[in-house]
Amino acid sequence: MKTRRPFYMLILALPFITGLCALFIGTYEITPSMVLRSLIPNVPFLHSLQDIPERAIITEIRLPRIILAGLVGLILSGSGVTLQGLFRNPLVDPYILGLSAGAALGCALSIGFLPHWPTQPLAFIFGITAVMLAYMIARTQGEISRLPLVLSGVIMSAFFTALVSIVKFMVDPHKLQAIVYWLMGSFSLAGWDAVKIALIGVMALFPIHLMRWRINVLSMGEDEARTLGINVKRDRIVLLIASSLAVSIAVSVSGIIGWVGLIVPHLVRMATGPDHTRLVPLSMAGGATFMILADTVARSLTGLDVPVGIVTAILGAPFFIYLMKRGGKESWGS
């Protein structure tokens, strides 16, 4: 454990290192000295920047966007590793279980028909509904196993995506354009207000961080967990609500961004092992790093601002195929 501590510290520090490097990258070239003068006023031997374009680009465009991307990646990856441990299935994540699609329906209804209603409560209501329905369908097969849960999540995703399509069909063209672009997943409209909302989602993951050792027990199976004195039903509900609330808030500020909660926890698990006391915080840090990198590629790849959801989908689909191929050869946590 002590020999791997520097490696763990590096993973925890990567979001900050990656975020700082991302400040230098973009279609508008900005030197490191300009970034330094913008972030730290009154630096000795450097003239401070006042109302010039570079300072506005750094502090009002790039910095909130990078922070928002990191927070959303942290939420999606933290929720993904929780759901994987909760359902003992490395193939699930908020996107595959239908949580993101359910939250998207709530957000689409808010944009299209209920503009005076807060987006986050509607996203949470429909997000938790999608997950519970997927769980109930898979439960009809008896003990929750890998294939029924994945199939149930696919069913719920398709169902709620169809409902979102009905909303898109019924709204006027201006709102339709906003919904379609939002569904692609993007941080192009990131601002400090969105960062504050995302911080609430991060706070919703706090119970998961405190209960992460219990996920180890829950991942052993219901009978084993009860034998060890764990209240399975209560802990499962708390973890599920915390994950759903956090993801719903993330979806409300960024749109649907899939695969992050699948790719990152699995990579971290392969590198550090299945112990959730380490896996949960390291997955959160890895998710933040991954999302910052993906968004930096999305906004710098071309002159256009490519939605980051497209980048994560291109990376995620082949990785899911890889997990499916590996799935029959490995047991949970190996």
Side-chain angles (χ1 to χ4, degrees):
M1 174 63 184
K2 290 184 178 180
T3 58
R4 306 202 70 181
R5 187 169 295 170
F7 177 63
Y8 299 152
M9 295 302 295
L10 175 62
I11 295 177
L12 294 175
L14 273 178
F16 304 97
I17 298 172
T18 307
L20 182 62
C21 294
L23 283 172
F24 308 138
I25 303 172
T27 54
Y28 191 96
E29 185 176 353
I30 298 178
T31 63
S33 63
M34 288 183 177
V35 173
L36 184 63
R37 284 182 286 172
S38 298
L39 298 179
I40 309 175
N42 302 321
V43 179
F45 310 113
L46 290 176
H47 298 291
S48 61
L49 300 179
Q50 299 298 328
D51 296 328
I52 64 173
E54 287 82 0
R55 187 178 189 278
I57 291 172
I58 294 168
T59 60
E60 299 300 326
I61 298 177
R62 288 189 186 175
L63 186 59
R65 178 166 181 162
I66 291 169
I67 294 175
L68 182 63
L71 294 177
V72 170
L74 182 152
I75 291 171
L76 295 178
S77 186
S79 299
V81 71
T82 301
L83 294 174
Q84 289 171 12
L86 193 60
F87 295 122
R88 305 175 61 208
N89 191 333
L91 298 180
V92 302
D93 79 334
Y95 182 75
I96 293 173
L97 275 184
L99 202 164
S100 296
L105 176 61
C107 294
L109 288 172
S110 177
I111 295 172
F113 301 112
L114 303 168
H116 300 296
W117 283 49
T119 303
Q120 289 74 31
L122 285 176
F124 171 69
I125 291 171
F126 286 98
I128 191 71
T129 299
V131 174
M132 292 305 297
L133 288 174
Y135 179 78
M136 290 167 58
I137 294 172
R139 189 72 181 180
T140 60
Q141 302 293 326
E143 179 73 19
I144 298 296
S145 58
R146 182 174 303 180
L147 185 59
L149 187 60
V150 172
L151 292 177
S152 300
V154 171
I155 293 170
M156 285 299 101
S157 293
F159 176 71
F160 280 94
T161 300
L163 295 180
V164 172
S165 297
I166 294 175
V167 173
K168 292 192 293 183
F169 181 77
M170 297 177 65
V171 299
D172 64 71
H174 295 291
K175 293 181 178 179
L176 173 62
Q177 183 179 13
I179 292 175
V180 170
Y181 189 76
W182 175 84
L183 287 173
M184 294 180 184
S186 176
F187 299 109
S188 60
L189 300 178
W192 291 112
D193 290 338
V195 170
K196 294 176 183 176
I197 294 173
L199 282 171
I200 299 174
V202 174
M203 292 171 60
L205 293 180
F206 189 64
I208 294 175
H209 183 75
L210 294 178
M211 297 173 62
R212 62 191 188 277
W213 67 272
R214 292 175 178 262
I215 303 177
N216 286 335
V217 183
L218 291 172
S219 64
M220 297 170 60
E222 293 185 10
D223 294 336
E224 290 82 355
R226 290 193 184 97
T227 302
L228 293 173
I230 296 295
N231 188 328
V232 176
K233 185 176 181 180
R234 181 199 63 195
D235 290 355
R236 184 170 283 171
I237 290 174
V238 171
L239 292 170
L240 191 58
I241 289 177
S243 298
S244 301
L245 178 59
V247 172
S248 300
I249 292 173
V251 169
S252 70
V253 296
S254 66
I256 296 182
I257 301 174
W259 306 103
V260 179
L262 175 70
I263 298 175
V264 177
H266 200 80
L267 290 174
V268 175
R269 186 182 293 110
M270 289 191 295
T272 66
D275 183 5
H276 286 83
T277 56
R278 297 191 304 268
L279 185 58
V280 169
L282 293 177
S283 293
M284 291 179 180
T289 303
F290 177 82
M291 188 62 78
I292 292 172
L293 288 172
D295 185 57
T296 302
V297 171
R299 63 183 172 84
S300 307
L301 192 60
T302 65
L304 302 175
D305 196 337
V306 179
V308 69
I310 296 175
V311 177
T312 59
I314 291 173
L315 296 174
F319 191 79
F320 186 77
I321 295 173
Y322 162 75
L323 289 185
M324 290 288 287
K325 293 291 186 181
R326 251 186 95 123
K329 302 177 182 178
E330 62 179 8
S331 61
W332 169 254
S334 62

